[in-house]
Amino acid sequence: MSDTSPDTPAQPDSSPPPESSPPAADAGSSASPDAQVTGTEQAPAAETWTAPDPAPATAEDSTAAVAKTPAPAPATTAVPPQTYPADMARFSPLPPPPPGFLQTRWQGPDYAGGPAAWIAALVGGLATAIALPLSRPGIGWLLVGLVMTGAVWHAARFGPKPDTALERWIRVGWAVLAVALLAVGTFRDAGWLFVFCVLGAIACGSLAVAGGHSVRAVVVGALAVPLAFFRAIPWLARGARAWQQTRERSGTAGRVVLSLIVTFVLLVVFGALFASADAAFATLLGDILPELNARAVFRGVLYTAIGGLITAGAIFTVLAPPDLSGLERPATRRIGRIEVALPLGGLVLLFGAFVAVQLRFFFGDKAYIQKTSGLTFSEYAVQGFGQLLVVTMLTLVVIGLVSRWAAKETRQDRVLLRTLLGALVLLSMVIVGSAVWRMWLYQNTYGWTRERLFFGSVELYLGGVFILIALAGWKLRASWFPRAAVAGFAGLLLFLGVANPEHFIAEQNVERFQKIDFWYLRALGPDAAPALAELPEPYRSCALSWVIRDLKADPDQWYSWNLSRAQAAELLEDMYVMGAGQACNESERLNAKR
């Protein structure tokens, strides 16, 4: 009998049994049952619960299996049952997580993306591959936007309609704003501005198909199409599988899809071969289409996929928009008067103290500011602008949270809320004026730049948002406010596009012609060319050197045509310019004498 106490558990014999020895199961069967019971009673801590084997094998079967296959293959080795401590057996499994927003509020269309969806996605993708100048602003952005808008408008006829005629016109207004923002690239070459225009166009186009009234609903609605970009992939895949299964019975739509795909592939392949065989045909084809090579083919396939999925995502959303009603219900949680009065009252006192200190600088000149503040004029103008911008945005967040959760049931609650929020809004508008005044002083003294102009414009926009809050605060509820704030920012971008900011910056710096930072002026694009052309030589040639280089190195195709670049090329065509190196060296020498 072996020792089976907990301290010295039984050790199996490490030497393998000979082939003629009896099987291990027969040897183990000769052990005394009393010894097995005694070992179990002495080791209660080793008690385990073993998952039952659905088909336990007998000892005879195991013996026969061992005798026939002394070295079983790893792939056919049976996995031993998993053991758990006995105390764990009484716990029930965790319940499944609750369904998320996509399962409950946005399941998408209950049918797969069929041939019509594939045709619309293919049209949007081909338009993107052929006409989108991704590396620069151009008319192609507007053309692609119009093609996608037409495809989505056609699909919208089969989706749910907005509840009221006013809501339908609002959706149309969002679509018009999206197209107008894309049109900025047709007239202006400022890439930094056009990036914001493209992002704004995506948000406005998403609101056109998804809708939304409250702040949370507008945020989700603005992100609906980017989210549907990925959800459209399995939707189209299901439609492709369904079409594959029924293509023998498919009608005209299925044959049209297949014919378009085959036509596109044949045109690309044979067009590339003809272009490589004849230079004249390659020149003609190059005036119509981008250059055909391996890189262009890869670009075309990638752009087709991206443009097609954007179009399919918009169609996916317009056919089954997300249910945003749960995000538009008023908050059920309320905070009392003390929770409102103390924080808002403290902010009002703090804002009032800051405004009292700032008022004495509003109408002071450069000498007065330097004398009273102890700072140089540059330090005063720059100091605190970023902080005031952050303060303005955080104040908007505080006002939004208080407006949502504060009690408004009684007259006393409404009077308290109007008084505190009204005072906070008025003081915030003074702070906005302080930030804009600082930036205005700095730019008029040290010159204008794109960054200073843009952030100053954003600060002015935030001041307009506070005006909207003041208008909405009388009733303490305005469903139009979130959409008006988004439309206001889109309007700001359109205003900057019309104002031609880079031309304005160059014009202001040329008027203050004393000692010019030519390294910055050279970075301005063709929008600034008419103003830079007013400079005397050699400053003019140095300031225009990068514009001249870019226009010669990368001429526009039909799909990348831009009004500012066309005007700059026409202006510089007959203008005498010096070499860039000679002009900039001479400009630096003259600058040093000033």
Side-chain angles (χ1 to χ4, degrees):
M1 181 180 298
S2 61
D3 186 6
T4 57
S5 63
D7 296 332
T8 58
Q11 301 293 331
D13 190 0
S14 59
S15 60
E19 295 181 359
S20 59
S21 62
D26 296 338
S29 63
S30 62
S32 174
D34 297 335
Q36 296 178 4
V37 173
T38 304
T40 305
E41 292 176 352
Q42 292 177 357
E47 181 183 0
T48 58
W49 175 80
T50 305
D53 191 349
T58 63
E60 290 77 10
D61 296 338
S62 301
T63 303
V66 172
K68 291 180 181 179
T69 58
T76 59
T77 303
V79 178
Q82 189 173 6
T83 59
Y84 301 92
D87 293 341
M88 295 294 294
R90 68 174 184 267
F91 290 104
S92 59
L94 294 175
F101 177 81
L102 297 181
Q103 290 77 20
T104 58
R105 298 289 184 178
W106 194 15
Q107 296 182 356
D110 55 359
Y111 48 88
W118 273 93
I119 292 175
L122 185 61
V123 169
L126 291 178
T128 304
I130 294 172
L132 186 70
L134 185 62
S135 60
R136 59 173 60 183
I139 194 173
W141 290 91
L142 175 61
L143 297 178
V144 172
L146 290 174
V147 170
M148 290 184 178
T149 301
V152 176
W153 174 80
H154 181 268
R157 300 184 303 168
F158 305 98
K161 303 298 187 293
D163 298 334
T164 62
L166 177 61
E167 183 64 24
R168 288 195 291 271
W169 282 109
I170 291 175
R171 300 286 186 92
V172 172
W174 286 125
V176 171
L177 268 179
V179 174
L181 288 171
L182 293 177
V184 172
T186 306
F187 305 98
R188 299 290 173 251
D189 184 66
W192 60 273
L193 175 61
F194 191 61
V195 168
F196 289 103
C197 289
V198 171
L199 295 177
I202 294 174
C204 292
S206 186
L207 288 171
V209 297
H213 297 82
S214 66
V215 175
R216 296 186 299 168
V218 166
V219 171
V220 174
L223 298 175
V225 169
L227 293 176
F229 176 93
F230 300 98
R231 300 192 66 193
I233 298 175
W235 182 60
L236 291 176
R238 292 195 303 269
R241 287 195 299 268
W243 177 73
Q244 177 68 21
Q245 295 171 358
T246 59
R247 64 177 181 176
E248 291 81 5
R249 302 189 303 270
S250 61
T252 306
R255 294 194 296 271
V256 168
V257 174
L258 184 61
S259 300
L260 287 175
I261 295 175
V262 173
T263 301
F264 175 72
V265 173
L266 292 176
L267 289 177
V268 170
V269 172
F270 283 95
L273 292 174
F274 285 141
S276 62
D278 184 77
F281 184 78
T283 303
L284 176 64
L285 204 61
D287 294 335
I288 302 175
L289 297 174
E291 182 182 358
L292 291 177
N293 49 37
R295 181 179 178 182
V297 171
F298 175 78
R299 171 190 176 276
V301 173
L302 180 63
Y303 283 21
T304 300
I306 294 176
L309 288 178
I310 291 175
T311 307
I315 294 175
F316 179 94
T317 306
V318 79
L319 292 178
D323 182 10
L324 303 177
S325 58
L327 302 177
E328 295 179 343
R329 289 194 294 264
T332 56
R333 178 184 300 178
R334 295 298 183 187
I335 55 178
R337 298 178 190 175
I338 297 178
E339 291 85 351
V340 172
L342 288 179
L344 287 185
L347 281 180
V348 168
L349 293 177
L350 179 62
F351 281 33
F354 179 82
V355 168
V357 173
Q358 290 294 308
L359 283 177
R360 60 176 179 160
F361 297 121
F362 272 6
F363 303 103
D365 57 6
K366 180 177 180 180
Y368 176 79
I369 291 174
Q370 291 177 347
K371 179 180 178 181
T372 55
S373 66
L375 302 172
T376 65
F377 188 69
S378 175
E379 291 173 342
Y380 169 79
V382 176
Q383 186 185 50
F385 175 80
Q387 290 87 333
L388 293 180
L389 182 62
V390 174
V391 165
T392 304
M393 300 178 70
L394 289 179
T395 304
L396 290 174
V397 174
V398 170
I399 292 175
L401 295 178
V402 171
S403 300
R404 177 171 175 80
W405 287 332
K408 311 179 188 69
E409 284 74 16
T410 65
R411 183 176 179 275
Q412 291 79 5
D413 292 332
R414 293 190 292 271
V415 170
L416 176 66
L417 200 57
R418 288 193 181 101
T419 302
L420 293 177
L421 289 182
L424 190 61
V425 167
L426 292 177
L427 293 172
S428 298
M429 293 175 65
V430 177
I431 292 176
V432 169
S434 175
V436 173
W437 174 251
R438 287 170 183 257
M439 187 55 66
W440 178 264
L441 290 177
Y442 188 80
Q443 293 191 118
N444 278 281
T445 304
Y446 297 100
W448 292 70
T449 65
R450 289 172 290 196
E451 295 80 5
R452 298 167 191 168
L453 178 63
F454 179 73
F455 286 109
S457 302
V458 170
E459 188 69 30
L460 280 176
Y461 160 74
L462 295 177
V465 172
F466 279 113
I467 295 177
L468 294 178
I469 292 175
L471 295 176
W474 182 252
K475 292 185 177 180
L476 295 177
R477 184 173 182 178
S479 59
W480 50 266
F481 172 76
R483 293 178 292 181
V486 176
F489 190 76
L492 170 67
L493 296 176
L494 290 176
F495 172 77
L496 290 176
V498 173
N500 198 354
E502 294 203 351
H503 180 273
F504 175 79
I505 291 169
E507 192 176 44
Q508 295 300 314
N509 287 308
V510 169
E511 288 180 359
R512 292 165 176 78
F513 177 65
Q514 294 176 355
K515 190 173 183 179
I516 297 181
D517 183 3
F518 288 99
W519 294 108
Y520 181 79
L521 291 181
R522 292 170 71 186
L524 297 178
D527 293 340
L532 297 178
E534 301 297 327
L535 288 169
E537 288 290 358
Y539 302 106
R540 179 181 64 186
S541 296
C542 180
L544 291 171
S545 59
W546 286 5
V547 174
I548 297 172
R549 179 198 64 188
D550 294 339
L551 291 177
K552 289 182 178 180
D554 193 10
D556 281 333
Q557 303 289 335
W558 68 268
Y559 54 88
S560 61
W561 181 87
N562 178 272
L563 179 63
S564 289
R565 290 195 294 269
Q567 291 177 342
E570 183 179 357
L571 176 67
L572 298 172
E573 184 177 0
D574 300 325
M575 182 183 296
Y576 169 77
V577 291
M578 301 171 56
Q582 177 186 357
C584 291
N585 290 334
E586 185 68 18
S587 299
E588 289 291 341
R589 186 182 64 81
L590 294 176
N591 251 0
K593 294 181 178 180
R594 290 180 176 269

